[in-house]
Amino acid sequence: MSSLTVVRKLSLAACLLLSLVTAIAKAEPPKILTLRGRTMGTTYMVKVFDPPAWKADIAAEIDAELRSVNAQMSTYLKSSELSRFNSWDSTDWFPVSSQTAEVVEAAIDVSKATEGAFDVTVGPLVNLWSFGPDPKTRAVPDAATIATLRESVGYQNLSVRTNPPALKKATPSLKVDLSSIAKGHGVDRVINVLKDAGARNVFVEIGGEVRTIGDKGGVAWKVGIENPATAGLSNNGLSLAAAHPLTDEAMATSGDYRIFFEVEGKRYSHTIDPRSGRPIEHDLASVSVIAKTCMKADAWATAINVLGADAGLSAAQSQGLDVLMIRREGRRFSRVGTGSLAKYAVEDPVSEIEDSALGAQEMRPWLQRLMPTLIVTMIGFGIIISAMAVGVIFGGKSISGSCGGLGGKKNEDGSVSCSLCSNPSDACKELRDKMETETQNG
């Protein structure tokens, strides 16, 4: 083979390689469509990796589905299906949508499994403690009022049928509040909308409750579990207790560290124990639960949060749930986990993270306060040094003394370079007077 042939083949190979590289460079990476909005008194976020060509306005379809959930199960909308059932003063069957019947049926199953620790009829007590739709007093109710309301609470007084779908109450005053399960149900509904529209890789979150299908081009979606020790701190990198890969599953979290009020130094959580009629008081700060549907994960996160760490762990094990519980121990926290979340229940690293987080919490405001002063000081020094350098360059003088930078040497008329300073000091003037006197005296 001649050298010319070799050169031609190498040139051809180089051209092919260059074309391949150019084609790869020009190929557009898969897109992630992100949609955000508000529903059920909170926010939602939808991410779709490599979305298909939608045949309709997918954002409008998602919004319509969530508005449908509100129209069925909201206790804030007087016209909703649930509000009308709550104001129904009959003990006859009340027709509802199949979705509302499905959610109530799932709620009653969890109530039976927890012997009433989870109970969607607890609404009147939630209102009494200023955490419901009624006006908030932030006052601790008296025991007699609590006892009276407890008489109208109890999942045993609620019945559901699915064909035809309807609800029934044994006592006319019974009311149902699905806020501890409806957000998860809403997530499942949005997932179904997107699956029907052809999406195969989806992340849906409503108020912290999450469900995913598929992944991001071979990389799993990751869901963060907030660290109660650093809740409220922003972007400090230490606010997550874990970042868990989630594929074709749902995760929900219930905690007592965000919504509460204090009276005379005592903290009252928004999670009400239906069995006592009072806010929970145990050491469980947060519970995260993984399940196949977000409705189930949502309900069980609340149920275990009411049960507390020990009973909650037993319930999680009997139900085969993956759970991470974070317990409060004074200023420190410990973790207990089951299933795929057990790997985050490591005692020593948790303590180290908590200590570091507390340190960052104390240091960050100090640095933030000083930073503007440091910046202004550095700029000021920079201007002064630059001005001195300009003076030296154009004045042809060296820097000495403390009169602003230009003293120490005589000019032709016998004066010193302090005269170049815009604001000569008294010391500089004295020095000039002294030199003039010495010159006159010869």
Side-chain angles (χ1 to χ4, degrees), residues 226 230-233 255-260 267 270:
E226 191 173 41
T230 57
L233 300 180
D256 74 342
Y257 55 91
R258 285 212 176 273
I259 305 176
F260 61 90
R267 176 192 180 106
H270 77 290

XYZ file of all heavy atoms in Angstrom, residues 226 230-233 255-260 267 270:
108
model
N -36.664 15.089 54.365
C -36.188 16.256 55.105
C -35.718 15.864 56.501
O -36.303 15.002 57.151
C -37.291 17.308 55.215
C -36.800 18.640 55.736
C -37.893 19.696 55.669
O -39.040 19.366 55.990
O -37.585 20.825 55.293
N -32.808 20.225 60.714
C -32.425 21.396 59.933
C -33.608 21.988 59.195
O -33.425 22.796 58.291
C -31.328 21.029 58.930
O -31.810 19.960 58.094
C -30.076 20.589 59.636
N -34.817 21.594 59.550
C -36.006 22.132 58.890
C -36.045 23.643 59.062
O -35.826 24.172 60.147
C -37.262 21.524 59.492
N -36.293 24.326 57.975
C -36.359 25.781 58.027
C -35.101 26.443 57.529
O -35.123 27.597 57.126
N -33.981 25.716 57.547
C -32.762 26.275 56.977
C -32.829 26.129 55.474
O -33.369 25.168 54.956
C -31.538 25.523 57.508
C -31.351 25.550 59.017
C -30.106 24.763 59.382
C -31.228 26.980 59.507
N -44.933 14.632 59.729
C -44.080 15.089 60.813
C -44.780 16.132 61.674
O -45.837 16.661 61.311
N -44.177 16.419 62.812
C -44.788 17.370 63.747
C -43.994 18.669 63.857
O -44.229 19.469 64.749
C -44.914 16.734 65.134
C -43.566 16.635 65.845
O -42.534 16.723 65.162
O -43.563 16.471 67.076
N -43.019 18.890 62.968
C -42.095 20.010 63.145
C -42.417 21.230 62.287
O -41.712 22.219 62.342
C -40.653 19.552 62.860
C -40.454 18.909 61.514
C -40.094 19.655 60.400
C -40.637 17.538 61.348
C -39.910 19.065 59.172
C -40.463 16.930 60.114
C -40.098 17.705 59.037
O -39.926 17.108 57.813
N -43.479 21.180 61.501
C -43.806 22.335 60.661
C -45.082 23.041 61.093
O -45.130 24.256 61.139
C -43.922 21.893 59.207
C -42.585 21.609 58.536
C -42.638 21.931 57.070
N -41.333 21.759 56.432
C -40.426 22.709 56.387
N -40.671 23.880 56.932
N -39.261 22.494 55.806
N -46.134 22.262 61.375
C -47.419 22.866 61.707
C -47.720 22.583 63.171
O -47.968 21.428 63.559
C -48.544 22.307 60.797
C -48.188 22.500 59.322
C -49.869 22.992 61.110
C -49.196 21.892 58.372
N -47.681 23.601 63.972
C -47.943 23.474 65.411
C -48.136 24.873 65.985
O -47.919 25.884 65.312
C -46.771 22.759 66.114
C -45.466 23.491 66.000
C -45.085 24.424 66.961
C -44.613 23.268 64.917
C -43.887 25.113 66.856
C -43.413 23.951 64.804
C -43.050 24.873 65.773
N -45.609 22.807 73.176
C -45.819 22.684 71.737
C -46.996 21.743 71.467
O -47.066 20.642 72.010
C -44.530 22.121 71.141
C -44.509 21.807 69.686
C -43.239 20.999 69.426
N -43.094 20.637 68.039
C -42.233 21.199 67.218
N -41.447 22.150 67.650
N -42.131 20.813 65.969
N -50.064 19.461 64.979
C -51.315 19.444 64.207
C -51.867 18.025 64.046
O -53.004 17.855 63.598
C -51.087 20.054 62.821
C -50.394 19.125 61.868
N -49.080 18.776 61.998
C -50.842 18.468 60.769
C -48.745 17.950 61.016
N -49.786 17.751 60.270
